[in-house]
Amino acid sequence: MSKLKNIMVIMNPSSGLSDSGKFKEKIEEQLSKYFEEVRIEETQRKGHACELAKEASEKRFDSICSVGGDGTLSEVLTGLLDQEYVPKILIFPSGTGNIMSKILKYNQNRDKVIDSINFDEAIPVDIGRVGNKAFGFILSLGVVPDALNEVSNEDKEKFGFMAYVANLLKNINTQKEYNLEVHVDNFVYRGKVDHLAATMSNKFSVIKIPGVDSSLNDGNINVFILKDAAFLSRAKMGIDFIAGDITKSENIEFMQGKKLTIKSLDDQEIYIDLDGDKGLKLPVEVEVISGKYRIYVPKKY
């Protein structure tokens, strides 16, 4: 293949890149095989990836490479929300979860990921928009995302994914219900909510959600509401997730559509989680952006 014009690498140096100096040289060397110009920018603060993505759009870069975790990718997606021109996106997984890259079947080995990509193919993916923020794979609220948000960057760096697991197990018995009104197109749910998750595809990481007919670019968002906070109900939901059709679980309300609205029915202050990071406070409106973003996929996708 002939080389593509240029790519801006947006790198989060705090996403497990203790060797960021050597890593920059390596990624520039690898990308130079596919692009005439490789420009590498390290993020300096929260929100900086948004600014850099916007600059890449305004300067008509052919592509953007997001180096970091799901939070870095979400900032890149957010920076492109209101841009008319959107560069194609390459994900370089170097964070803790890297869920979006796993959904797209990316190689998780840093030495192999770039050469495994098909730079002739970037597929359209749906993105969720909440106010001025974007998310690529999940919006959620409940004790579990709250527990995940409590994990410090230091623990992520030191313990990796196990830092999430440890904090999750510590909080798994916590019961906290929300009184919500949830609209998905013409469907409405009003009542108690233990957890809510809204996904942009029928996968969570490499696991397909049973019973959900959806894809990365069908224009829909999939909303799951766990109604009962009891531990046994959570366990039953887990069994349904693994062994059956989760949409038919008696304790799950499932809705699918193009627009989602969530609001609290009391004065409780509730925040949503977007791709693993704390997001906005309720009420929120979510819309699906379809056909605007294109992400490179592996040769064996």
Side-chain angles (χ1 to χ4, degrees):
M1 61 168 283
S2 59
K3 284 188 178 184
L4 298 165
K5 183 181 178 183
N6 52 12
I7 185 168
M8 179 186 286
V9 179
I10 300 175
M11 180 184 299
N12 181 355
S14 65
S15 293
L17 297 176
S18 55
D19 55 347
S20 60
K22 292 181 180 178
F23 182 72
K24 280 197 294 184
E25 295 178 7
K26 192 167 189 177
I27 199 170
E28 183 174 11
E29 178 185 345
Q30 290 180 336
L31 285 172
S32 292
K33 293 187 288 185
Y34 305 98
F35 293 88
E36 294 176 4
E37 177 191 352
V38 179
R39 175 179 160 188
I40 298 181
E41 296 284 352
E42 288 191 358
T43 58
Q44 305 297 321
R45 59 191 177 278
K46 189 173 180 61
H48 194 196
C50 297
E51 300 168 19
L52 291 169
K54 184 177 180 180
E55 180 185 346
S57 170
E58 291 170 347
K59 294 186 175 178
R60 312 289 287 192
F61 270 75
D62 185 84
S63 306
I64 292 173
C65 177
S66 173
V67 182
D70 294 305
T72 305
L73 178 60
S74 292
E75 284 199 16
V76 168
L77 299 175
T78 295
L80 298 170
L81 271 178
D82 296 314
Q83 299 301 110
E84 182 179 347
Y85 169 75
V86 176
K88 294 181 286 293
I89 297 170
L90 168 66
I91 304 172
F92 194 104
S94 68
T96 307
N98 306 313
I99 303 298
M100 190 67 175
S101 69
K102 291 173 182 175
I103 289 173
L104 290 164
K105 302 181 181 180
Y106 269 62
N107 193 317
Q108 300 298 303
N109 185 320
R110 291 186 193 173
D111 294 327
K112 297 180 179 179
V113 58
I114 291 176
D115 287 335
S116 71
I117 297 298
N118 178 7
F119 287 100
D120 287 326
E121 182 177 13
I123 66 167
V125 296
D126 294 337
I127 299 298
R129 175 171 189 155
V130 189
N132 62 351
K133 292 183 178 293
F135 64 98
F137 71 93
I138 193 168
L139 173 155
S140 58
L141 64 83
V143 172
V144 169
D146 286 349
L148 299 183
N149 280 327
E150 291 171 1
V151 179
S152 67
N153 287 331
E154 292 77 10
D155 283 347
K156 290 181 196 177
E157 180 77 21
K158 188 174 181 180
F159 301 110
F161 188 73
M162 291 309 297
Y164 287 125
V165 174
N167 211 47
L168 180 57
L169 292 175
K170 185 173 70 175
N171 289 276
I172 193 67
N173 282 322
T174 303
Q175 294 189 13
K176 184 178 181 181
E177 289 185 330
Y178 308 91
N179 190 22
L180 303 181
E181 180 174 293
V182 182
H183 289 252
V184 180
D185 292 354
N186 295 322
F187 303 99
V188 182
Y189 172 83
R190 293 184 184 91
K192 297 296 183 181
V193 173
D194 174 43
H195 280 79
L196 180 147
T199 67
M200 302 308 299
S201 78
N202 65 345
K203 284 187 176 181
F204 183 79
S205 188
V206 296
I207 303 171
K208 184 181 183 297
I209 303 171
V212 178
D213 183 15
S214 181
S215 70
L216 285 165
N217 52 17
D218 62 1
N220 287 319
I221 189 167
N222 309 297
V223 181
F224 307 87
I225 298 172
L226 176 61
K227 295 179 279 190
D228 188 351
F231 177 78
L232 288 177
S233 295
R234 294 178 184 174
K236 174 67 165 56
M237 182 204 67
I239 293 170
D240 290 335
F241 185 93
I242 294 169
D245 184 342
I246 196 171
T247 65
K248 294 179 180 178
S249 174
E250 61 185 19
N251 198 36
I252 294 288
E253 190 78 23
F254 172 70
M255 297 180 282
Q256 187 180 66
K258 301 184 181 305
K259 190 170 183 179
L260 163 67
T261 303
I262 312 170
K263 67 179 181 179
S264 176
L265 292 175
D266 52 37
D267 58 358
Q268 190 176 6
E269 191 174 76
I270 305 168
Y271 286 84
I272 59 171
D273 175 283
L274 298 174
D275 286 351
D277 288 330
K278 187 174 181 179
L280 304 173
K281 185 172 71 171
L282 297 187
V284 295
E285 290 188 2
V286 185
E287 64 173 313
V288 178
I289 299 176
S290 194
K292 181 172 183 176
Y293 293 84
R294 302 183 74 85
I295 298 181
Y296 290 110
V297 291
K299 297 169 185 174
K300 296 182 179 180
Y301 180 72

